[in-house]
Amino acid sequence: MNPLPQMQSRLKKLSAFSIQAARTTFLIAACTLPICGTAQNSLKNPEATTAWPSRPIRILVGFPGGSTPDMSARTLAEPLSKALGQPVIIENRVGASGNIAADLVAKASDDHTLGVVINGNLTSARQLYARLPYDPARDFAPISLLTTAPLMLVAPASLPGGAEFFAAAKQAGSQWNYGSVGNGSVAHLGMELIKSRSPGMAPVHVPYSGNPQVVTAMLGGQIQMALVPPGLAMPHIRSGKLRAIGLTGGRSLLAPDVPPLADAGLKNVNLEVWTALIGPARLSKAAQARLAQEVPRIIRDADTRQKLFAQGWQAVGTSPEGLTGRLKDETAILGNIIQTRGIKIE
């Protein structure tokens, strides 16, 4: 018997089986790969498959309760919580003129930590601090400019107003002190700008943790002047305990009876204090898009605007691009003051 035909038949069957097995293996692999890829992506970024927000949101504020940034944050918190369907919790992380809180925001990785900051944290800080632990231009996702206000130069009611105030300040020299919310703050840089515009003025800078502490120090006689937001100063001005010397910039609806500093002979002191909402640079695109939609709408709402105005703020509510543009312009303005006055903070 010739075994060749039987061997050829067996080889054909084995070949057909091998081809079928290979096809089956390929199909299994092809079906499995997308699943594995999705699983790996989910492990790398748990937020990728979860609708944002998925848990409570923290807003860090670098100033104490009752300060103007704190009030802005708390005014935003309730309507933002309603809009997002999650609790919004305000945490005060005080210190280093707000830079401690800003650094915590920059390093946050949970996709649910935001920050309400002031001018200096995002503009002048990089030029002032040799060892700033974050990069304002790289480490944040700008969300919205929330509020703005001029600064009001105030003094104890026992001191004269107008041009006479500056004459008295020059005579006092370094025997007078001025307060601010901290080294490198806009209030600090603004006072240095005033000193440069009024040669002979030499009050000594005393930093505090927040504007309420600045006002308390002035009422107690520890300092003789300060630049503060109008909302904090006006109640004491109406009660006769403090005197308004003038506003940075022009006239403002926040203090319609207070003249600009230019009326007392001090020209070109055009500064504002403001608050802004930011997130870490790694904040998810979904979170950034949702916040960019909700936050400006909330800030521009009539009820929110009224509450902020009562606190001494003009409501703004910009897009992320609007905040970015403001940062660029103001970094140049404050940087010029820093260089001109030779200010540096170790």
mmCIF file of all heavy atoms in Angstrom, residues 7-21:
data_model
loop_
_atom_site.group_PDB
_atom_site.id
_atom_site.type_symbol
_atom_site.label_atom_id
_atom_site.label_comp_id
_atom_site.label_asym_id
_atom_site.label_seq_id
_atom_site.Cartn_x
_atom_site.Cartn_y
_atom_site.Cartn_z
ATOM 1 N N MET A 7 -0.627 10.607 3.660
ATOM 2 C CA MET A 7 0.184 11.669 4.263
ATOM 3 C C MET A 7 -0.221 13.025 3.704
ATOM 4 O O MET A 7 -0.323 14.036 4.431
ATOM 5 C CB MET A 7 1.677 11.418 3.983
ATOM 6 C CG MET A 7 2.246 10.221 4.733
ATOM 7 S SD MET A 7 3.985 9.941 4.357
ATOM 8 C CE MET A 7 4.699 11.440 4.998
ATOM 9 N N GLN A 8 -0.485 13.087 2.379
ATOM 10 C CA GLN A 8 -0.896 14.356 1.768
ATOM 11 C C GLN A 8 -2.232 14.820 2.343
ATOM 12 O O GLN A 8 -2.451 16.000 2.604
ATOM 13 C CB GLN A 8 -0.982 14.186 0.250
ATOM 14 C CG GLN A 8 0.372 14.048 -0.416
ATOM 15 C CD GLN A 8 0.248 13.791 -1.903
ATOM 16 O OE1 GLN A 8 -0.804 13.297 -2.389
ATOM 17 N NE2 GLN A 8 1.315 14.095 -2.645
ATOM 18 N N SER A 9 -3.155 13.888 2.581
ATOM 19 C CA SER A 9 -4.474 14.226 3.137
ATOM 20 C C SER A 9 -4.337 14.785 4.548
ATOM 21 O O SER A 9 -4.979 15.763 4.930
ATOM 22 C CB SER A 9 -5.363 12.980 3.136
ATOM 23 O OG SER A 9 -6.598 13.246 3.757
ATOM 24 N N ARG A 10 -3.450 14.138 5.345
ATOM 25 C CA ARG A 10 -3.242 14.609 6.726
ATOM 26 C C ARG A 10 -2.619 16.013 6.743
ATOM 27 O O ARG A 10 -2.970 16.855 7.559
ATOM 28 C CB ARG A 10 -2.332 13.628 7.475
ATOM 29 C CG ARG A 10 -3.016 12.327 7.821
ATOM 30 C CD ARG A 10 -2.054 11.373 8.488
ATOM 31 N NE ARG A 10 -2.686 10.092 8.771
ATOM 32 C CZ ARG A 10 -2.034 9.033 9.260
ATOM 33 N NH1 ARG A 10 -0.709 9.106 9.493
ATOM 34 N NH2 ARG A 10 -2.680 7.909 9.496
ATOM 35 N N LEU A 11 -1.670 16.262 5.856
ATOM 36 C CA LEU A 11 -1.022 17.572 5.788
ATOM 37 C C LEU A 11 -2.021 18.666 5.432
ATOM 38 O O LEU A 11 -1.979 19.773 5.963
ATOM 39 C CB LEU A 11 0.115 17.542 4.756
ATOM 40 C CG LEU A 11 1.383 16.787 5.191
ATOM 41 C CD1 LEU A 11 2.357 16.658 4.014
ATOM 42 C CD2 LEU A 11 2.048 17.505 6.366
ATOM 43 N N LYS A 12 -2.947 18.349 4.512
ATOM 44 C CA LYS A 12 -3.969 19.333 4.136
ATOM 45 C C LYS A 12 -4.848 19.677 5.328
ATOM 46 O O LYS A 12 -5.199 20.823 5.573
ATOM 47 C CB LYS A 12 -4.808 18.792 2.980
ATOM 48 C CG LYS A 12 -4.083 18.787 1.652
ATOM 49 C CD LYS A 12 -4.996 18.258 0.546
ATOM 50 C CE LYS A 12 -4.292 18.267 -0.785
ATOM 51 N NZ LYS A 12 -5.148 17.763 -1.874
ATOM 52 N N LYS A 13 -5.228 18.641 6.115
ATOM 53 C CA LYS A 13 -6.076 18.879 7.288
ATOM 54 C C LYS A 13 -5.345 19.715 8.329
ATOM 55 O O LYS A 13 -5.910 20.637 8.930
ATOM 56 C CB LYS A 13 -6.495 17.541 7.888
ATOM 57 C CG LYS A 13 -7.505 16.790 7.045
ATOM 58 C CD LYS A 13 -7.898 15.472 7.695
ATOM 59 C CE LYS A 13 -8.896 14.699 6.837
ATOM 60 N NZ LYS A 13 -9.286 13.412 7.454
ATOM 61 N N LEU A 14 -4.049 19.393 8.577
ATOM 62 C CA LEU A 14 -3.267 20.162 9.555
ATOM 63 C C LEU A 14 -3.106 21.600 9.117
ATOM 64 O O LEU A 14 -3.182 22.543 9.910
ATOM 65 C CB LEU A 14 -1.883 19.516 9.743
ATOM 66 C CG LEU A 14 -1.860 18.220 10.550
ATOM 67 C CD1 LEU A 14 -0.466 17.580 10.470
ATOM 68 C CD2 LEU A 14 -2.228 18.493 12.010
ATOM 69 N N SER A 15 -2.885 21.821 7.825
ATOM 70 C CA SER A 15 -2.713 23.171 7.298
ATOM 71 C C SER A 15 -3.975 23.988 7.474
ATOM 72 O O SER A 15 -3.949 25.135 7.892
ATOM 73 C CB SER A 15 -2.317 23.102 5.824
ATOM 74 O OG SER A 15 -2.206 24.391 5.287
ATOM 75 N N ALA A 16 -5.118 23.363 7.169
ATOM 76 C CA ALA A 16 -6.402 24.064 7.328
ATOM 77 C C ALA A 16 -6.642 24.408 8.782
ATOM 78 O O ALA A 16 -7.114 25.497 9.128
ATOM 79 C CB ALA A 16 -7.532 23.188 6.789
ATOM 80 N N PHE A 17 -6.290 23.475 9.679
ATOM 81 C CA PHE A 17 -6.476 23.724 11.120
ATOM 82 C C PHE A 17 -5.588 24.888 11.601
ATOM 83 O O PHE A 17 -6.015 25.740 12.361
ATOM 84 C CB PHE A 17 -6.136 22.448 11.900
ATOM 85 C CG PHE A 17 -6.200 22.644 13.399
ATOM 86 C CD1 PHE A 17 -7.419 22.650 14.071
ATOM 87 C CD2 PHE A 17 -5.032 22.855 14.118
ATOM 88 C CE1 PHE A 17 -7.449 22.839 15.432
ATOM 89 C CE2 PHE A 17 -5.076 23.042 15.475
ATOM 90 C CZ PHE A 17 -6.294 23.040 16.153
ATOM 91 N N SER A 18 -4.339 24.910 11.102
ATOM 92 C CA SER A 18 -3.402 25.964 11.520
ATOM 93 C C SER A 18 -3.877 27.331 11.061
ATOM 94 O O SER A 18 -3.797 28.322 11.789
ATOM 95 C CB SER A 18 -2.010 25.687 10.944
ATOM 96 O OG SER A 18 -1.532 24.456 11.433
ATOM 97 N N ILE A 19 -4.382 27.399 9.835
ATOM 98 C CA ILE A 19 -4.883 28.682 9.313
ATOM 99 C C ILE A 19 -6.056 29.165 10.132
ATOM 100 O O ILE A 19 -6.162 30.331 10.508
ATOM 101 C CB ILE A 19 -5.270 28.529 7.828
ATOM 102 C CG1 ILE A 19 -4.002 28.284 6.989
ATOM 103 C CG2 ILE A 19 -6.023 29.755 7.339
ATOM 104 C CD1 ILE A 19 -4.292 27.913 5.555
ATOM 105 N N GLN A 20 -6.982 28.235 10.443
ATOM 106 C CA GLN A 20 -8.148 28.598 11.240
ATOM 107 C C GLN A 20 -7.736 29.058 12.633
ATOM 108 O O GLN A 20 -8.274 30.029 13.185
ATOM 109 C CB GLN A 20 -9.104 27.411 11.335
ATOM 110 C CG GLN A 20 -10.406 27.718 12.079
ATOM 111 C CD GLN A 20 -11.209 28.809 11.414
ATOM 112 O OE1 GLN A 20 -11.251 28.880 10.180
ATOM 113 N NE2 GLN A 20 -11.823 29.686 12.194
ATOM 114 N N ALA A 21 -6.754 28.376 13.244
ATOM 115 C CA ALA A 21 -6.275 28.739 14.586
ATOM 116 C C ALA A 21 -5.640 30.123 14.561
ATOM 117 O O ALA A 21 -5.836 30.937 15.467
ATOM 118 C CB ALA A 21 -5.267 27.701 15.086
#
